[in-house]
Amino acid sequence: MNSIKFIAFDLDGTLLDTAKDFFLAVNQLRSKYQLKPCEFSEIRSRVSEGAISLASYALNLDDNDKDKIELHRQELLKIYASCCLNKTTPFVGINELLNQINKAELKWGIVTNKPKA
């Protein structure tokens, strides 16, 4: 049997619950364009789909308007950067899991598909 060499985690939506901060960012973006706040459940269900999905949802954008979506995705990410640590917390049990991994002296890290910090 092979022993575990390394454990890789995704950050957003796996180790950290970022939905509350994305909810704040999406509603700030909506407010900028005089749109009413959205429901938290709508954001919670889209966080794992990424910023394109969130920006598109936030402003009711047409999926075919790639340039407009990208513009507002960047805008959303800028807003999110200003509030991304306000309400983000580890999911229940994550701290204990990481402590167990560390006690077992296993190597672990975070992987991402994000091209930048």
Side-chain angles (χ1 to χ4, degrees), residues 49-68:
E49 296 173 13
I52 290 173
S53 176
L54 289 170
S56 183
Y57 167 77
L59 300 177
N60 304 312
L61 302 173
D62 183 328
D63 289 343
N64 295 319
D65 197 346
K66 304 295 184 197
D67 291 338
K68 197 171 193 178

Side-chain angles (χ1 to χ4, degrees), residues 92-104:
V92 173
I94 292 299
N95 289 335
E96 293 80 8
L97 173 64
L98 295 177
N99 283 334
Q100 288 178 344
I101 291 169
N102 287 333
K103 284 180 185 175

Side-chain angles (χ1 to χ4, degrees), residues 19-106:
K20 292 176 185 173
D21 284 330
F22 271 113
F23 176 65
L24 292 172
V26 165
N27 279 323
Q28 284 182 33
L29 182 63
R30 289 177 63 86
S31 176
K32 180 178 178 180
Y33 292 96
Q34 292 79 45
L35 296 170
K36 292 180 182 177
C38 63
E39 297 292 323
F40 177 71
S41 62
E42 291 296 322
I43 301 309
R44 161 77 71 204
S45 67
R46 285 178 171 80
V47 168
S48 65
E49 296 173 13
I52 290 173
S53 176
L54 289 170
S56 183
Y57 167 77
L59 300 177
N60 304 312
L61 302 173
D62 183 328
D63 289 343
N64 295 319
D65 197 346
K66 304 295 184 197
D67 291 338
K68 197 171 193 178
I69 292 171
E70 178 57 22
L71 172 75
H72 294 299
R73 181 186 76 88
Q74 292 294 329
E75 190 174 20
L76 175 64
L77 290 175
K78 185 175 181 182
I79 294 168
Y80 177 69
S82 72
C83 67
C84 68
L85 298 176
N86 290 356
K87 296 184 181 253
T88 290
T89 57
F91 279 106
V92 173
I94 292 299
N95 289 335
E96 293 80 8
L97 173 64
L98 295 177
N99 283 334
Q100 288 178 344
I101 291 169
N102 287 333
K103 284 180 185 175
E105 297 183 356
L106 295 170

